[in-house]
Structure formats: C-alpha cells, structure tokens
Amino acid sequence: MSREPNYEFQEWWNKQREKNHDFFTNDSNNANKGFLTVEIRSLNPDLTTEKDRSRSARQLSWICLLRFQQLANSLAWITNSFLLLLRTANRRISAADSPCDSSASRLYRIIKFFLVLVVLLLCVELVAYFKGWHFSPPSAASAEAAVELFYALWLEIRADYLAPPLQSLANVCIVLFLIQSMDRVLLMLGCLWIKIRRIKPTASMEYPMGRVETGNVDDYPMVLVQIPMCNEKEVYQQSIAAVCIMDWPKERMLVQVLDDSDELDAQNLIQAEVQKWHQKGVHILYRHRLIRSGYKAGNLKSAMSCDYIKNYEFVAIFDADFQPAPDFLKKTIPHFKGNDDLALVQARWAFVNKDENLLTRLQNINLSFHFEVEQQVNGVFINFFGFNGTAGVWRIKALEDCGGWLERTTVEDMDIAVRAHLCGWKFVYLNDVKCYCELPESYEAYKKQQYRWHSGPMQLFRLCFLDILHSKVNKAKKANLIFLFFLLRKLILPFYSFTLFCIILPLTIFLPEAELPAWVVCYVPGIMSVLNILPAPRSFPFIVPYLLFENTMSVTKFNAMISGLFRLGNSYEWIVTKKLGRSSEADLVAFENESDSSVTETTSFLRSSSDSGLEELSKLEVTSRRSVKTKRNRLYRMELTLAFILLSAAGRSLLSAQGMHFYFLLFQGISFLVVGLDLIGEQVS
C-alpha cells in the first residue's frame, strides 16, 4: 500500500522556503540576523549597464553577420546548382535523336499539346480556387463577371460532354488492367504449383561430368555453336573463350564466330582471337559478311547455308556477351534424347552486373519474373514460349522444317519460335541451367533495347496472324497465341499502362466528374508489383522505384508497340545493345570450378586469352581512339514533358485535397523527371 501524504511536513517546508527567500532578498532582515553584509557600489552605476548593453549589441551584430554569411552561402549553393544543372542539360542535349526518339515525333507532338492543355487547365483552376468557386461553383444564370460566366460554362461542358467519354475510356482500361492482373496471378499460381510439386524437365540420360576421353565420343552428337556479334570489342574474348572451353569432345563440336562488324579494328581483333583458339586445337571458324543485310537473322541464315551444316544435329546460339558454363551442352543435349518432337531447349539468363546501379537492379526484377515465372510456367504446361534469342539449343531439323531464319522482323527469335510451334514442335525450359550475361547499364542502351523488344512482336503479329488462323494446331493453341501471347502480353500491357496512368489519371484530376478509384491507382498496382518482385526477393527494398519505373517505361513501350503495329518510324532498324564487358575472366574460372573440371587447363586458356590480340590492339590504338564516340548522358524530351504534365496534375489534386492521387502523381512525376534527366543509369562525367 502507498503511504499517505504528510501534509504537515509540506506546510512546514513551504514556510521555511519562504523565510529563506526573504532572508536572502531583504537587507534589513539580514542585518537583524547578525550577518555581515558588504555592499560594493560603483562610482558610475550606469557603466555596467552600458557595458552589458554594448556587449549585447556586439553579439547581435555578430549573429547578424553569421546569418548573412549563411544566407550568402545558401544563395551561392543555389546559384552553383542551377548553373551546374544548366551545364548538365546543355551537355546532355545530343545533336541527333536515337531511332526510338525520332520515330516518336508524332507522339511527342501530341504529348506537348497535352502539356499546354494541362497548364491552361491548371491556371483556370488556380483562379477558381482563389475566387472560392471550388466551394460554391457559380452557375451561368447567376454569373456577374465574364470570368465567372466562363468558368460556369466550363463546368457545364466538362460535366456533359468531356467527362462521360473519359469515364468510358477509363472503364475500358480498368477492365484491361484487371484482365492482365489476373493473368499475372494465374502465372504466379502456376509457378507456385511447380515449386510445391517440384516439377522440372528430366532427361532420359546423363553425360558424365569431367573431360571427355578421346576414344569414347560416339554417344556425343555433332553440335554447332554459333556466336553472332557486331562491333563488340568489349566482350568478344570472354564469349569465345567460354564456348571454346566447354566440356564437349572437340571433334564433335564446331564453333562459328559470325562477325558482322563494320569496324576494321574489331574484325582484326576477333579474327586474331579465333586464330589463337584454332591453334589450340578447337574447331572454330571465322565468318564475316560484307553486306550486313537482315541484321542478326541474316547473319544466322547465312551461316546455316554452309554445306557442312548437314553433318550436325544441333545448334547452340550465344550472343557476344553470354558466357555458358563448361557443362552447358551436357545439361541441355540429353533432353533431346528420346524426344523426337523437341525443337528447343532454353536456359535461364543470369546477370553479372545486376547490382551495378539502380537501372540494372530494376531490370533484374523484370527478367527474373520473366524467366522464373513466364518461361517456366509456359514450358511446363503448354511446351511453348518465346525463344530468348540466345542461351538455347535448337534441333537443326526443326529449324529447317519451319523455314529457317527470316529477316522480316527485328525479333527473329520470337518469329522462328512461333513458326516452330505452329509446325507442332515442342520446347523445354531449364530454370536450373544458367548462362551469365550483361545488362545494359545506361538508360539510352536500355531504351533502345526495349524499343526493339516491343516493336518487333507487333511486326510479327501483323505478319503471322493469318498463318496462325490457317495453321493445323488446335483451337486452344491458336487462342493462346493470339489472345495471351500477342494481344494481352505484348499489346494490351503497354497500351493500358501508358493510357491509364499517364493520360487518363491526369485528365480525371482536371475533370473530376470522371473518377479513377484509389484501388486502381495504388492498391492493385502495389499487389502486382509485389508479385513481380517475388522471384527476386533481395530486391524488395526497390519495390516502390520498380512500380514507378515500370510506369515511366510505358511511354517507350507504347510508342514501340504503335510503331511496330502500323510500321511507323524506324521500327525495322536493329541497334546493337551496348556492352561494357563487365563479365570478368574470374567468372570463367568459377564456372570451371563448379563443373569439377580441370582448373589448371582452364586457367592457362584464360591467361592466353588475356594476351590475345594485344599486338593488334597496339597497332590499331590510334584508329580506335579516332573511331570511338564520346559517351555522354542525354535529355529525353518525352519523359520530361510527361513529368511536367504529372506534376501539374499533382498540383491540381493538392487543391482538391486528393491525398492518394496527389502522392502517386507527385512521385510518378519525379520518376519521369529523373529518367528524363538521365539520372537513373550510368553517369558519364
């Protein structure tokens, strides 16, 4: 129990405290108590006061000077930052637009007109806000001033004529959004079922790991390995070395280096590298075309026309930046045994530079979902998926049966996969077989790559639509190709993401009679982002930047989709994705260690690979310096224009206190601004 308070003690203590206070403050009481009090008087009593006052004034002056210095430093920092921003902007304005920008001139003009319209609407709403018309809207009958009459008529026009069609378009996009979200959910459920049931393709036989003995090679089929490349001096050594040290009998494998380079120094270096490996006993050939027609498809088609191709049963294709593990063929070729209707075995991509910057981290999220979920689910349940163009092994008979490589699109890999599927061939995807490669680290390279990846499928859909309808496959496969493979995942996805979040959402802010629910703006996209990021769980801290960046990329994908569908701009031009050679030679040694093969032999190969071409490189050093283009960051006008549109809409939503919409528009506008200033990827000083 708590003790009761002692009120008598408190009263006594208060009295003693009052006495002591009077004792120290009253001089007369001090004298009566017998204490000696010494009083020191100044000759000039005002001197101390003036001194204190002068000291306070001096301190105040120092404080004022300090504040002034801080203000001057702040102004100088703001001025320097502004000048630095201007210099950076001036440096990042490139003289020539990239093909994906030049083909967007029509779309860019439409977006500029949309920006002017949004700014005018924002000015009108600001005037109405300061007039108080947001709280009591005027009517045309009671309007007194001309401005008030104009605003009243504007309210009637937007409610009767503008809002209904906008709401209808928003409803259509919402339905498409929900359909595409359901497709993602079904894919994730399929992937979960595969994980729970531990479903994976199994081969009828296995090759022993380790170096193959010379006398026991009859069980190994003849394999052709192709490495198409074009002016890729940064990565040619790594890819050629990785292929040449693969664990496969040398007499049962032929390597074709298909060089489409138009730079003389690149040709000489690649040819010298091929000659070096040929001297080591590897069956390797160098092929160079004088006329680069058909781009990669034309290069592969030309290589497959050689007479000796009839001696080979399978062909493995690797792009110039890919480094297969030494046991790649031993893990993929066995799946063809006993499966005469199997045309393709596709391996998974892995990335050596996925943590290089924010751009590569966001790409890793997208591609991890593509391989872990889309490719794996389609491969297990329907035995069909889009060929990724590299890190795959084809049965040569299947290539010949479906017509071979065609030069009609920029996605020759998807083209030949669709034609092989229509001919009845099956595909197998191996999620546990990885092939390391490099992600583009600059936004310019990534934008060009995405433009080609999203314009090509629309070209192909336009060309093969009738072939799908008239093919002999069943109706389920036809429906899957048309509605899921092409329309939903290649056309509807970029259409609704750009239209809904970059056009309709800002318009609904200025036309509040048309409403876009908060669950469409925030909740469903958030859930979809969580599902997309599950295959790459280490990337969960980047879920918000991923959501914003995907909406930012929608303008590039939408423009590419429209260009490919209607043959606009430079949709048929192929631009090689720039590589930086991030894959190190240590990666090849690690691959060799994982396969338990001879490390000594591999190390000697790699050391000799490092010395390859040094003499040629020194001879061509002057030529290389003259031919190398200066790298620099750029400004992207379309992204900047959309940034100003979204930020203007965010300002309008702030006036009407729409919290969810305001934050989404604000952060999405900042995302467009960051991308438009080219601040997301590699920075060139």
Side-chain angles (χ1 to χ4, degrees), residues 122-138 144-152 155 655:
L122 180 61
C123 295
V124 171
E125 296 300 331
L126 286 174
V127 172
Y129 180 80
F130 288 112
K131 290 286 186 178
W133 295 338
H134 279 185
F135 306 100
S136 58
E144 298 179 357
V147 178
E148 190 174 1
L149 178 62
F150 171 78
Y151 188 73
L155 293 180
L655 298 179

Side-chain angles (χ1 to χ4, degrees), residues 187-188 191 194-195 322 345-351 363-380 385-392 413 428-437 439 453 532 535-536:
L187 286 174
M188 286 300 302
C191 183
I194 292 173
K195 297 295 183 183
F322 278 72
V345 174
Q346 173 71 58
R348 179 174 179 168
W349 297 2
F351 312 105
Q363 292 179 69
N364 179 58
I365 296 174
N366 254 341
L367 292 173
S368 296
F369 181 86
H370 170 70
F371 286 103
E372 184 81 19
V373 180
E374 291 181 343
Q375 298 291 76
Q376 187 171 208
V377 170
N378 291 327
V380 169
F385 47 82
F387 175 45
N388 295 115
T390 178
D413 45 8
V428 166
Y429 172 73
L430 303 179
N431 192 57
D432 55 348
V433 179
K434 298 180 180 180
C435 188
Y436 282 84
C437 62
L439 291 168
W453 284 5
N532 289 347

